Amino acid sequence: MEKLLLVGFVVAGIILGTQANEYLDFNVTEIDRIEELEFGFSKYSSNLNPLMVGLTLIRGADSGAVCLDGTLPGYHLHRGHGSGANSWLIQLEGGGWCNNIRTCVYRKTTRRGSSNYMEKQLQFTGILSDKAQENPDFFNWNRVKLRYCDGASFSGDGQNQAAQLQFRGERIWRAAIDDLKANGMRYANQALLSGCSAGGLAAILRCDEFRNLFPGSTKVKCLSDAGLFLDTADVSGGRTIRNLYNGVVELQSVKNNLPRICTNHLDPTSCFFPQNLISQMKTPLFIVNAAYDTWQIQSSIAPTSADPSGFWHDCRLNHGKCTPAQLRFLQGFRDQMLRVVRGFSMSRQNGLFINSCFAHCQTERQDTWFADDSPVIRKKAVAIAVGDWYFDRAEVKLVDCPYPCDKSCHNLVFR
């Protein structure tokens, strides 16, 4: 039976995209409620006693590695043990982007732009859990969550002095890596760079660079969860997400920090889209993505700015209210996603889990990562699929049948 996860109200623009003026009126408490549902907490979770991990601030301000407001960036580290003592998992936090001065200034008043507002302790669930029954392959690794406070997927390097904004995502990345290497990561014999949403995009952008941090004898792979943002038209024929990304790339001086394998033949904004990167990467990559990604439906495909008549309003919030014509449009989006990964999936080293769910981020939430009723494709949960791929137990190329055939989904419904 299909599972529905009810979300109180939609503020996807402020959580992840911050495009529309009206979203700026939501207060931080309301944003927190939605982010908890998106990024790690759910009524389906079996984790009644989650691990809480403290925040470590990175003392790298002398290198200019600071959040949007100039405060120190940070991460949460839980040490590995036993067979995982020299294995490292780095999880890059998601949380969208800011593409103009107004939205970046707003982020300074949230944990997405200032460590002053970051939680001092964070729940480690899903791929970050320390319990073998919840995270069978990575529970005893050194597990790190790098906090996201720059608004450009750890890729900007500039500033706006008039607005007192620091765009230092690339420096945060480097300072965090240096700090973690000094704390033992340089001895890693296994490493996995992962991320969700904007962090999933960052994991793709940084993957080959991450591989080069380690000797050839170290097993290094990357995982992108809900990071396959498509360069697609919205319902009005406009290019909402391309315009958003163009603003991010230009404002935050991202160009010089994008992979050269892309920028040597495409414009910088195109190189912020994973579809122009994934087939050229040298490092093994696993992609986890919902075929009907709720963030992309709400903020890229059918945002309010592209739907002034409100025709898509109900469908945008609840797939059960989509008309046959709207479902056909969304099936077209799924088809585009499958075309994008076709060449990528032909490489034996890469992995894939594309399920036909209305969801966003499935590795950090316990219920969608590994639980009794987790989403599955061919009876394989996300955690098992990723583990089989990482440890070379099996080749994993799992693509679901089209909606509505999958009854194991934990679909998000907004109101």
Side-chain angles (χ1 to χ4, degrees):
M1 182 178 179
E2 177 188 2
K3 302 167 188 69
L4 301 179
L5 179 55
L6 185 62
V7 179
F9 39 77
V10 58
V11 291
I14 195 65
I15 306 166
L16 299 166
T18 59
Q19 300 174 61
N21 291 341
E22 61 265 34
Y23 290 135
L24 294 178
D25 294 330
F26 285 108
N27 63 44
V28 176
T29 302
E30 292 169 325
I31 294 168
D32 287 349
R33 266 178 60 198
I34 299 298
E35 287 186 326
E36 286 173 353
L37 288 166
E38 292 278 6
F39 300 113
F41 307 90
S42 136
K43 67 179 182 181
Y44 293 116
S45 179
S46 62
N47 194 336
L48 301 178
N49 187 28
L51 173 70
M52 303 299 294
V53 180
L55 175 67
T56 299
L57 294 178
I58 305 167
R59 306 292 172 181
D62 54 343
S63 66
V66 292
C67 298
L68 285 169
D69 69 338
T71 54
L72 294 176
Y75 61 78
H76 303 255
L77 164 63
H78 190 254
R79 290 286 184 181
H81 58 88
S83 61
N86 288 320
S87 299
W88 287 75
L89 187 154
I90 312 299
Q91 177 83 353
L92 303 179
E93 185 178 35
W97 311 272
C98 59
N99 61 324
N100 55 44
I101 296 298
R102 176 180 55 79
T103 54
C104 289
V105 166
Y106 176 79
R107 281 177 80 102
K108 289 200 298 181
T109 66
T110 77
R111 63 183 183 268
R112 299 297 181 225
S114 171
S115 58
N116 287 338
Y117 300 97
M118 290 178 185
E119 305 92 332
K120 298 301 181 278
Q121 288 195 316
L122 210 59
Q123 288 191 14
F124 268 28
T125 58
I127 197 171
L128 296 174
S129 172
D130 64 336
K131 299 175 180 63
Q133 67 270 27
E134 296 177 346
N135 188 22
D137 285 307
F138 307 107
F139 73 97
N140 65 345
W141 283 33
N142 297 282
R143 300 168 326 285
V144 179
K145 183 154 188 175
L146 178 56
R147 301 306 296 268
Y148 178 43
C149 64
D150 64 278
S153 288
F154 299 94
S155 295
D157 194 13
Q159 62 180 331
N160 184 294
Q161 292 181 322
Q164 296 183 301
L165 286 166
Q166 295 291 321
F167 304 126
R168 302 301 185 186
E170 195 271 341
R171 298 188 190 194
I172 292 172
W173 159 260
R174 279 193 282 117
I177 290 299
D178 289 346
D179 206 60
L180 293 168
K181 286 172 71 176
N183 275 288
M185 193 173 73
R186 65 182 180 275
Y187 303 119
N189 53 34
Q190 300 182 116
L192 176 62
L193 177 66
S194 67
C196 151
S197 193
L201 169 59
I204 292 172
L205 294 171
R206 295 291 175 186
C207 183
D208 283 344
E209 180 183 339
F210 185 70
R211 159 71 270 183
N212 293 334
L213 295 171
F214 303 94
S217 58
T218 304
K219 186 187 190 80
V220 181
K221 298 188 179 185
C222 303
L223 165 64
S224 174
D225 175 16
L228 191 61
F229 297 97
L230 300 187
D231 187 4
T232 191
D234 59 41
V235 293
S236 72
R239 312 297 296 198
T240 295
I241 193 167
R242 173 164 274 273
N243 292 337
L244 171 66
Y245 276 9
N246 188 64
V248 174
V249 169
E250 292 293 326
L251 177 69
Q252 299 215 32
S253 303
V254 170
K255 177 181 178 180
N256 292 332
N257 299 317
L258 294 170
R260 297 286 186 269
I261 54 170
C262 184
T263 55
N264 62 14
H265 68 282
L266 289 177
D267 65 275
T269 299
S270 294
C271 295
F272 209 59
F273 283 100
Q275 65 198 67
N276 298 316
L277 300 168
I278 55 176
S279 295
Q280 304 174 68
M281 291 167 54
K282 297 183 176 68
T283 309
L285 172 67
F286 194 101
I287 291 175
V288 176
N289 227 96
Y292 314 98
D293 183 285
T294 52
W295 186 88
Q296 294 193 65
I297 290 172
Q298 293 174 0
S299 298
S300 170
I301 300 171
T304 53
S305 58
D307 181 38
S309 68
F311 177 68
W312 277 84
H313 177 268
D314 291 348
C315 176
R316 181 166 56 240
L317 304 183
N318 182 349
H319 61 280
K321 297 183 178 180
C322 295
T323 67
Q326 289 169 331
L327 286 175
R328 284 195 296 273
F329 191 96
L330 297 179
Q331 298 293 14
F333 176 77
R334 173 183 177 271
D335 291 344
Q336 182 184 351
M337 184 178 292
L338 297 186
R339 287 194 298 272
V340 161
V341 300
R342 186 174 297 150
F344 162 85
S345 66
M346 295 181 73
S347 172
R348 188 174 180 83
Q349 71 174 9
N350 294 328
L352 204 59
F353 189 101
I354 305 288
N355 57 346
S356 291
C357 303
F358 289 79
H360 184 74
C361 289
Q362 299 180 87
T363 60
E364 293 184 35
R365 277 177 32 197
Q366 194 59 53
D367 66 298
T368 48
W369 172 246
F370 192 62
D372 291 342
D373 64 345
S374 293
V376 294
I377 303 178
R378 295 177 216 155
K379 299 183 179 180
K380 191 171 286 194
V382 178
I384 303 305
V386 172
D388 283 352
W389 162 80
Y390 186 89
F391 294 102
D392 303 307
R393 297 190 293 247
E395 189 173 350
V396 182
K397 306 288 169 57
L398 295 171
V399 177
D400 218 347
C401 47
Y403 175 82
C405 71
D406 189 340
K407 305 306 180 187
S408 71
C409 290
H410 289 194
N411 290 319
L412 296 176
V413 172
F414 300 80
R415 68 178 181 209

